[in-house]
Amino acid sequence: MKAHQADDLATAERLYREVLELRVAQPDALHYLGVLCHQNGRSDEGVELIRTALQVTPRHPDAHNNLGNIHKECGRLREAEACYRKSLECSPQHHHALSNLAVVLEAQQRPLEAFDAFEKLLKAAPRFAQGYYLLGLFLRNNAQGIEHIEQSVGCFREAYALEPRFVQALEALSVSLYTLDRRDEAAQVYRDWLERDPDNPVPRHMLAACGGTDAPERAPDDYVRDTFDNFAESFDEQLLKNLDYRAPEVLAAALATVLPVPGASLDILDAGCGTGLCAPLLRPHARRLVGVDLSGGMVKKARLRGGYDDLEVAELTAYLQQHRQAWDVVLSADTLVYFGDLGPMAAAAHDALRPDGWLAFSLEVEEGDGDQAVLSSSGRYRHTRGHALHALQRAGFGDIRISEDSLRKEFGQPVRSWVVLARRGGTEAP
Ligand SMILES: C[S@@+](CC[C@H](N)C(=O)[O-])C[C@H]1O[C@@H](n2cnc3c(N)ncnc32)[C@H](O)[C@@H]1O
């Protein structure tokens, strides 16, 4: 277990298996080996091992909770809910089971029951910082009025007061303050944070996002790495934030209108592949499917999910510049929102595509007729239609098609997005 906690999974697995050779049904070895198998991408084996452990010790709240976590992370929310409920039958105050239950109820769009679970959680564990943080996110994601955003501010402050190293609570606090138009307070959160931790790229970028300093041309590499390495590990948050996330499906459907019938014939790059949600949608078209992303944590998750021929940890513009005329399709889902000026990326993508190759990507909408990219308080950029169009035209793309859709929700509201397709060497759109 020490090796497991130290992330030395190979040693831990060998030792758990040695224990099981000595005692076939040793429940802790079965249970923790199950958790480890899931961490290594062998989730079905993990489920079987924990189920076997539970035959030996059927009233083990942690084992039920961990089995629930595997189901949750595999997207089986109903099964996860049942496991958390069993854990709570064994130990009604189990605060991880309570907070996990709240998360899966919210993800199943059952906000009243989720709120009830959060209430029980904070009664059972009034000093559990993560509980306040998750409740704050819940209130903001499901806000029916301004009072819920105000309450989220209280939750994030409480989470940070209870756990001063819990910097995600600070970021969440500032976003809520900004949403309430308390911009000076929002910027002050980052100034204070930067004073304590001057080299941290997160408050540096977010201070710019609050208008406290000039916006950079795109989110700095160290900010992206830091943010997404943390994000990769916090699946709970990912579930919460990804409510109604549709960018991969919508981009794949747009591409399907211009690509030949799927015949595993194209070389495709998933630029900013994240945890690999696009892979199963692109695979039927791909002879070779490569993912590239700045965050090693996200790439690790993508590797576990499978579906790529190759995965690389790299900055995508630089990667495109190094692979000229290498791709029939370059797709970038919900990633160029970390870019301000799209010009350098568009030029690199144009040169990386083969003649008649397609570029497909999504952006968030900035209103207006001009040519503008605006850094917003979330740390992401919004683009006008004109900006996307001009950047692509200047790079030499033709056949440019820009439509509007909503690809995810934020604070309970649909986020307006651009879905963009452009062809290298195509004809100009009228
Ligand atoms: C919101 S996620 C989307 C991931 C994936 N495309 C999806 O749809 O699930 C954005 C991803 O873009 C990556 N990213 C942002 N800027 C990048 C850059 N300049 N180069 C490479 N990856 C980048 C982040 O690390 C993150 O994994």
Side-chain angles (χ1 to χ4, degrees):
M1 286 171 67
K2 278 218 166 117
H4 196 168
Q5 281 157 5
D7 219 21
D8 180 359
L9 299 188
T11 305
E13 174 155 8
R14 182 173 52 75
L15 293 172
Y16 287 141
R17 290 200 189 278
E18 263 181 45
V19 173
L20 291 172
E21 267 173 32
L22 296 172
R23 262 187 67 191
V24 163
Q26 208 289 331
D28 290 336
L30 285 168
H31 168 193
Y32 294 119
L33 180 57
V35 172
L36 184 149
C37 283
H38 168 63
Q39 285 173 300
N40 266 335
R42 289 175 276 139
S43 302
D44 292 347
E45 191 181 348
V47 167
E48 278 317 305
L49 284 161
I50 301 182
R51 282 196 179 134
T52 311
L54 282 167
Q55 283 166 8
V56 186
T57 51
R59 295 194 55 78
H60 196 312
D62 290 343
H64 284 296
N65 182 55
N66 281 327
L67 183 55
N69 286 342
I70 300 182
H71 285 310
K72 179 180 64 173
E73 294 182 18
C74 293
R76 297 185 291 266
L77 301 181
R78 284 213 164 268
E79 285 95 327
E81 178 187 341
C83 292
Y84 298 136
R85 291 199 188 280
K86 280 200 190 122
S87 172
L88 291 166
E89 272 168 36
C90 309
S91 168
Q93 311 285 312
H94 196 290
H95 55 272
H96 289 296
L98 271 170
S99 76
N100 287 326
L101 177 64
V103 166
V104 292
L105 288 170
E106 184 191 0
Q108 291 176 87
Q109 322 253 2
R110 288 154 63 192
L112 294 179
E113 291 167 81
F115 186 66
D116 192 48
F118 276 123
E119 273 196 327
K120 285 198 182 112
L121 167 66
L122 293 176
K123 224 178 246 162
R127 300 192 57 74
F128 183 43
Q130 176 83 5
Y132 285 97
Y133 173 68
L134 289 173
L135 175 57
L137 292 181
F138 169 82
L139 288 166
R140 201 169 66 194
N141 283 337
N142 294 280
Q144 304 285 320
I146 199 164
E147 67 279 10
H148 294 141
I149 313 265
E150 276 158 1
Q151 287 161 6
S152 78
V153 166
C155 288
F156 297 136
R157 283 201 201 284
E158 188 64 33
Y160 184 65
L162 287 168
E163 178 58 71
R165 279 172 309 174
F166 196 176
V167 289
Q168 279 160 308
L170 276 187
E171 198 174 336
L173 168 63
S174 182
V175 171
S176 283
L177 287 168
Y178 195 93
T179 310
L180 290 167
D181 227 8
R182 288 154 64 180
R183 295 180 185 207
D184 291 345
E185 281 176 79
Q188 197 55 43
V189 170
Y190 293 122
R191 280 201 189 92
D192 293 346
W193 180 359
L194 259 182
E195 216 170 274
R196 287 191 303 276
D197 190 2
D199 294 330
N200 192 324
V202 175
R204 208 182 323 122
H205 181 64
M206 294 306 285
L207 182 57
C210 285
T213 49
D214 289 342
E217 289 228 324
R218 65 176 168 81
D221 293 357
D222 52 359
Y223 165 80
V224 170
R225 236 180 259 123
D226 243 60
T227 303
F228 283 96
D229 281 353
N230 283 326
F231 197 37
E233 288 314 316
S234 55
F235 194 81
D236 289 359
E237 258 189 276
Q238 202 171 332
L239 254 186
L240 286 177
K241 289 185 182 167
N242 277 353
L243 280 182
D244 291 336
Y245 177 58
R246 305 165 57 233
E249 286 80 6
V250 171
L251 281 175
L255 267 175
T257 63
V258 295
L259 295 182
V261 181
S265 58
L266 304 174
D267 292 342
I268 304 184
L269 179 70
D270 185 357
C273 61
T275 60
L277 291 177
C278 296
L281 304 166
L282 297 174
R283 192 68 252 182
H285 293 280
R287 171 173 57 195
R288 182 170 153 74
L289 177 61
V290 176
V292 60
D293 200 288
L294 256 175
S295 157
M298 296 294 265
V299 166
K300 196 168 151 196
K301 289 267 172 185
R303 196 159 278 134
L304 289 178
R305 190 188 298 273
Y308 294 94
D309 296 302
D310 200 5
L311 281 158
E312 296 226 19
V313 178
E315 199 288 309
L316 72 88
T317 320
Y319 184 86
L320 287 166
Q321 284 163 348
Q322 287 155 12
H323 293 79
R324 298 170 76 83
Q325 301 216 8
W327 312 102
D328 302 301
V329 174
V330 173
L331 170 133
S332 191
D334 201 33
T335 294
L336 301 180
V337 293
Y338 293 95
F339 286 59
D341 181 0
L342 295 174
M345 178 288 307
H350 183 269
D351 292 352
L353 282 165
R354 298 187 180 124
D356 286 328
W358 285 94
L359 171 65
F361 59 91
S362 61
L363 299 170
E364 287 179 13
V365 169
E366 173 69 14
E367 292 280 2
D369 299 328
D371 177 339
Q372 253 194 312
V374 180
L375 178 58
S376 76
S377 64
S378 61
R380 298 152 68 96
Y381 295 77
R382 292 192 302 257
H383 299 83
T384 57
R385 190 177 188 284
H387 181 82
L389 185 66
H390 296 151
L392 290 167
Q393 282 172 338
R394 272 197 302 272
F397 282 98
D399 237 350
I400 300 167
R401 306 168 189 199
I402 305 178
S403 55
E404 193 183 323
D405 206 326
S406 163
L407 304 181
R408 65 187 183 93
K409 278 188 174 168
E410 196 171 75
F411 311 154
Q413 301 301 317
V415 176
R416 292 175 57 201
S417 308
W418 300 125
V419 177
V420 185
L421 282 180
R423 183 151 63 112
R424 174 179 174 157
T427 46
E428 286 300 304

